[in-house]
Amino acid sequence: MTMTVYGIPNCDTVKKARVWLADQQQAFTFHDFKKQGLERATVAQWLQQLKWDVLVNRKGTTWRNLPDERKAATVDAASALELMLEFPSVIKRPVLHTAQQCHVGFSDAQYRQIFKLI
């Protein structure tokens, strides 16, 4: 299974996901979207499978530090796409992109279900 984990390396949740995948001997590529950036097509593909309000982390520091007008203007997939491209750290992490679909966040139970290890 070809898969990519998108996130930033110092995020605790991303670290946990990467360790979990390594422990389960799952091969993956890590994409640091702060250093490597994000392509519009990648985020658009995520938005085909996931709701924008799942991808945008409205509990994080990046969101809280946005001007109120910008928060209010993020109302649909198109506006969320622009926001995520401008401020990648507003994306809930990690984003796991497998050959079949995209998943957001990490928990042991979630990944066990994804990889059929229940």
Side-chain angles (χ1 to χ4, degrees):
M1 176 187 299
T2 301
M3 69 181 116
T4 303
V5 175
Y6 292 86
I8 55 178
N10 61 341
C11 172
D12 288 340
T13 309
V14 171
K15 288 178 188 175
K16 289 175 188 175
R18 292 172 71 185
V19 167
W20 191 96
L21 290 166
D23 288 349
Q24 299 301 318
Q25 300 175 349
Q26 297 289 333
F28 66 94
T29 302
F30 177 67
H31 183 98
D32 180 346
F33 54 60
K34 280 237 182 157
K35 288 185 181 172
Q36 296 171 270
L38 279 173
E39 293 185 16
R40 178 176 294 276
T42 300
V43 180
Q45 185 178 25
W46 297 346
L47 287 166
Q48 289 176 1
Q49 296 183 35
L50 300 164
K51 294 182 180 186
W52 71 267
D53 56 348
V54 170
L55 276 169
V56 173
N57 181 5
R58 291 186 274 183
K59 295 179 182 175
T61 304
T62 303
W63 176 264
R64 289 193 308 264
N65 289 337
L66 289 173
D68 289 339
E69 314 79 68
R70 189 64 189 269
K71 292 178 196 175
T74 306
V75 295
D76 57 16
S79 56
L81 173 65
E82 297 305 323
L83 178 71
M84 289 184 278
L85 290 173
E86 186 177 348
F87 301 100
S89 55
V90 79
I91 299 170
K92 185 172 182 182
R93 301 176 296 266
V95 175
L96 174 67
H97 187 184
T98 68
Q100 291 80 26
Q101 65 188 103
C102 295
H103 308 272
V104 177
F106 168 79
S107 73
D108 180 72
Q110 175 192 14
Y111 273 40
R112 286 186 173 282
Q113 185 175 14
I114 292 166
F115 294 97
K116 313 288 190 242
L117 298 174
I118 297 174

